[in-house]
Amino acid sequence: MATIRTENLNYTYGIGTPFEKTAINNINIEIKPGSLVGIIGHTGSGKSTLIQHFNGLLKPTSGKIYIDDVDIWENKKNIRDVRFKVGLVFQYPEYQIFEDSVFRDVAFGPKNMGLDEEQIKQRVTNALESVGLPLSYLDRSPFELSGGEKRRVAIAGVMAMQPEVLILDEPTAGLDPRGRDTVFSLIKDYHKKTQCTVLLVSHSMEDIAKYADTLLVMNNSEVFCYDKTVSVFEKSEEIQQMGLDVPQITRVFNELKKRGVNIGEEIYTVNYAKKLVLEYLGKAGEKSC
Amino acid sequence: MLKDITIGQYFPGQSIVHRLDPRYKIIITLTYIIMLFAAAKIPSLIPGVIFAVTALILSRIPFSLIGKSLKPIIPLIIFTTILNLFLYDGDPVIKIGFIEIAYDAIETSIMTIIRVIFLIAGTSLLTYTTSPIMLTDAIESLLAPLKKINFPVHDLAMMMTIALRFIPTIIEETDKIMNAQKARGANIETGSLAQRAKAMVTILIPLFVSAVKRAGELALAMECRCYRGDVGRTRMKQLKSGAKDYIAIILTMAFLALVFVLNFAFRNLELF
């Protein structure tokens, strides 16, 4: 299992032109194997730039990235192997589909890895199951599928490489609420099943709080905080000041606390809130009796 | 990275060069090209060089940017120079073994180098300082007389506007798709020529799919806003010319005249 570590990572776009812009500034983080990390931040806060460093698509302006303590840019020839180890699903991944059958498109990654026919078949089937599409889809043209199905085919295309780290950039952008829930629970299940590291990029706290165990909050090209989800929501005031949403349920309980009803701290899922409210009501009930 | 391409890009600014009427700017650029090619002797190139450098300083576009747009033509310059040097007949002035180089060859080479460099530098300045929309507006206005012979000037200009407008979008899109395929292990920057050619397919197909889709959406959006071509269409930003434009064009013409004067004055010049 792979550990990703960055050291003073910097990246600047368009050096030497009037459009020069620092996208990420001095990032020092370590991502533990097997965790499900949510990366949140505004549009333009550097999330997408950061994740493109993890699989060597962008070369840092300065600083280093280590995967399992190996500097990935030490030997340029190995950069392709890094990409098989760290799978990246881009925003709107359905725009990368190019083959005329679902099977061939999903098989593109494994084929590039140089696997044999049998293994490729196995992986494609597994990947398609992971994204919850029936195997009858294998021979269909991906261009005939619905938007949500195309998205899932594209995600399967990266899962089929069986990367040790799976990064998804806004995997639910542009999907309806049901599609969003489907994709998120697929990812959650995949994480549980494979035990691989999953990085989930989003700007919606609401969704990410439900799934991620660790949160990386980016603001103005820098890491605002990187901690367990529970601890991050201790700073919900500051996060809101940054202009990021905290889950509705957290806002409700913060407001209740302000008005003197202290039910509990760091509440960010409805289920947990329900449990606490019931406990609180139970206690209150006992007292009044 | 593809995003680093600067040719044909517009760099917003408020300099006098930026604010010139684009119609005049096009005419001035054409005159400037004539200036370079009308020069028959090395000294007659000087007005063109001074003209371009002055315009560049006035535009406040950094020199390094112009340098960047010149980079791709370096092989072309080297190639033409070699051809010029060795394939020119005349009295040899330099002899190294069997290599003979004529005086005319040296003169022509120097002139070609200066011409090509300043041709690219000067014309890039036009696109650097004029937004694509202004440029096509100007072309439409300059070609307007052709409407009399039913030449579809407006349609052509609209097509150019759309094409220019979508260059950055498509470059960005290409970049994205390229990265997505690279993330799946496509051999785009590494691998043999055959592998790279194959990898191109994985980029071109998604690119065409989305371009066609985008074209359909754009057409629909235009129709929703009642676009129906040239007839009865007015502009929010009218092109206006003023004193600065007249002065600029008079100065340009003066420089062109100077080229011919220098041509005449140095008609018998031999540098060595």
Side-chain angles (χ1 to χ4, degrees):
Chain A
M1 280 291 139
T3 312
I4 300 178
R5 188 161 58 83
T6 70
E7 211 178 83
N8 306 324
L9 203 63
N10 287 292
Y11 189 80
T12 309
Y13 279 108
I15 292 176
T17 69
F19 305 119
E20 192 172 302
K21 188 183 175 296
T22 303
I24 52 171
N25 190 9
N26 201 22
I27 308 279
N28 289 292
I29 49 168
E30 186 178 318
I31 292 163
K32 301 228 161 50
S35 51
L36 205 168
V37 182
I39 304 178
I40 10 178
H42 269 300
T43 325
S45 60
K47 300 168 289 180
S48 296
T49 310
L50 179 65
I51 54 168
Q52 286 184 53
H53 280 88
F54 292 155
N55 74 340
L57 278 175
L58 289 178
K59 198 176 175 191
T61 311
S62 69
K64 295 225 153 72
I65 311 136
Y66 299 93
I67 292 180
D68 290 333
D69 290 316
V70 180
D71 176 4
I72 63 167
W73 286 102
E74 198 174 83
N75 190 348
K76 272 188 178 175
K77 278 180 189 143
N78 294 338
I79 208 73
R80 240 179 119 213
D81 298 328
V82 171
R83 290 181 191 150
F84 296 135
K85 218 182 231 181
V86 182
L88 176 56
V89 181
F90 276 89
Q91 242 176 77
Y92 297 102
E94 56 272 29
Y95 289 126
Q96 70 181 38
I97 289 172
F98 69 96
E99 281 286 10
D100 53 4
S101 79
V102 170
F103 176 83
R104 300 227 315 229
D105 204 87
V106 177
F108 180 66
K111 215 182 251 168
N112 284 329
M113 297 171 81
L115 301 173
D116 61 46
E117 291 281 317
E118 207 43 52
Q119 277 173 306
I120 291 176
K121 230 178 195 165
Q122 189 57 45
R123 284 183 173 216
V124 172
T125 328
N126 281 347
L128 220 57
E129 271 167 7
S130 294
V131 296
L133 288 177
L135 292 181
S136 60
Y137 273 44
L138 282 176
D139 292 323
R140 288 180 64 177
S141 163
F143 295 104
E144 291 167 357
L145 305 179
S146 75
E149 287 170 334
K150 264 192 222 171
R151 172 87 43 104
R152 283 193 264 165
V153 168
I155 294 175
V158 176
M159 283 179 175
M161 301 193 302
Q162 295 181 357
E164 291 173 38
V165 181
L166 180 68
I167 309 175
L168 301 111
D169 191 355
E170 303 266 5
T172 57
L175 295 181
D176 55 22
R178 184 185 293 172
R180 226 163 52 202
D181 286 343
T182 319
V183 169
F184 273 133
S185 50
L186 286 172
I187 294 166
K188 182 97 186 167
D189 291 344
Y190 178 82
H191 177 244
K192 212 181 262 171
K193 196 174 78 186
T194 60
Q195 288 300 310
C196 72
T197 316
V198 174
L199 305 187
L200 209 51
V201 178
S202 176
H203 58 250
S204 157
M205 222 24 138
E206 198 87 36
D207 292 325
I208 241 164
K210 251 190 282 183
Y211 299 101
D213 53 50
T214 314
L215 285 185
L216 172 65
V217 184
M218 304 263 313
N219 191 29
N220 286 334
S221 317
E222 284 174 7
V223 172
F224 170 72
C225 65
Y226 175 55
D227 211 335
K228 293 256 165 274
T229 308
V230 187
S231 321
V232 168
F233 285 110
E234 284 174 9
K235 297 178 186 143
S236 56
E237 293 271 304
E238 281 160 275
I239 291 171
Q240 272 177 300
Q241 269 163 22
M242 251 159 57
L244 277 172
D245 252 355
V246 298
Q248 219 167 27
I249 197 81
T250 311
R251 287 210 304 273
V252 168
F253 280 86
N254 282 348
E255 194 59 38
L256 277 173
K257 194 175 156 190
K258 258 188 220 159
R259 298 184 184 201
V261 187
N262 194 356
I263 295 176
E265 301 275 327
E266 299 94 40
I267 296 158
Y268 51 89
T269 62
V270 177
N271 278 336
Y272 184 57
K274 183 179 150 196
K275 204 180 114 201
L276 286 186
V277 168
L278 284 176
E279 274 172 22
Y280 180 83
L281 288 177
K283 259 189 247 161
E286 274 164 28
K287 264 181 214 162
S288 65
C289 278
Chain B
M1 219 163 73
L2 278 172
K3 274 183 194 154
D4 294 334
I5 292 176
T6 54
I7 288 182
Q9 223 174 32
Y10 169 57
F11 289 93
Q14 282 302 320
S15 77
I16 176 92
V17 184
H18 283 87
R19 282 182 287 125
L20 281 183
D21 184 325
R23 287 172 297 184
Y24 283 81
K25 248 193 273 187
I26 291 177
I27 296 172
I28 289 171
T29 309
L30 289 175
T31 318
Y32 162 76
I33 295 171
I34 298 173
M35 228 184 271
L36 288 179
F37 283 89
K41 291 279 175 186
I42 292 174
S44 347
L45 280 169
I46 294 170
V49 171
I50 294 174
F51 186 81
V53 172
T54 316
L56 185 59
I57 292 168
L58 285 177
S59 72
R60 300 210 191 102
I61 299 275
F63 275 74
S64 59
L65 260 180
I66 299 287
K68 234 180 182 175
S69 65
L70 286 175
K71 235 188 203 164
I73 59 156
I74 291 172
L76 181 80
I77 291 176
I78 293 172
F79 186 69
T80 47
T81 308
I82 290 172
L83 283 187
N84 266 330
L85 279 179
F86 296 118
L87 299 176
Y88 219 90
D89 279 336
D91 294 331
V93 288
I94 300 171
K95 263 188 172 177
I96 310 159
F98 64 94
I99 301 171
E100 294 178 349
I101 297 172
Y103 172 77
D104 283 352
I106 298 172
E107 194 181 23
T108 316
S109 309
I110 295 172
M111 289 189 66
T112 315
I113 293 171
I114 297 176
R115 267 183 195 145
V116 173
I117 290 176
F118 279 87
L119 183 71
I120 302 290
T123 45
S124 344
L125 195 60
L126 175 68
T127 53
Y128 281 154
T129 58
T130 321
S131 75
I133 307 284
M134 274 166 80
L135 212 54
T136 42
D137 272 1
I139 290 170
E140 185 176 351
S141 159
L142 286 173
L143 294 180
L146 289 176
K147 278 179 192 167
K148 291 214 173 72
I149 55 164
N150 280 334
F151 187 78
V153 176
H154 172 79
D155 306 62
L156 215 67
M158 181 54 82
M159 272 153 67
M160 262 181 71
T161 312
I162 293 172
L164 285 171
R165 155 66 185 78
F166 278 98
I167 288 175
T169 314
I170 294 210
I171 287 181
E172 209 172 284
E173 182 119 353
T174 314
D175 213 40
K176 243 191 229 159
I177 296 172
M178 221 154 115
N179 277 336
Q181 307 301 26
K182 267 200 270 180
R184 293 205 280 168
N187 279 305
I188 290 164
E189 276 150 3
T190 51
S192 68
L193 205 64
Q195 275 173 324
R196 283 191 210 197
K198 245 185 180 169
M200 280 312 288
V201 178
T202 69
I203 297 165
L204 287 178
I205 292 175
L207 200 59
F208 277 131
V209 170
S210 76
V212 169
K213 212 173 124 196
R214 186 169 280 137
E217 279 165 8
L218 182 67
L220 192 67
M222 283 168 82
E223 273 178 7
C224 285
R225 297 206 224 162
C226 305
Y227 176 78
R228 57 199 168 94
D230 192 18
V231 190
R233 191 172 155 84
T234 54
R235 278 169 205 292
M236 189 171 87
K237 284 185 184 163
Q238 301 278 354
L239 294 174
K240 260 189 231 137
S241 49
K244 58 180 185 313
D245 302 302
Y246 306 138
I247 294 170
I249 202 136
I250 289 169
L251 277 174
T252 315
M253 292 303 163
F255 268 83
L256 182 62
L258 188 62
V259 171
F260 288 110
V261 171
L262 289 172
N263 266 351
F264 183 75
F266 291 101
R267 65 191 179 281
N268 291 322
L269 176 81
E270 296 246 344
L271 285 175
F272 49 85

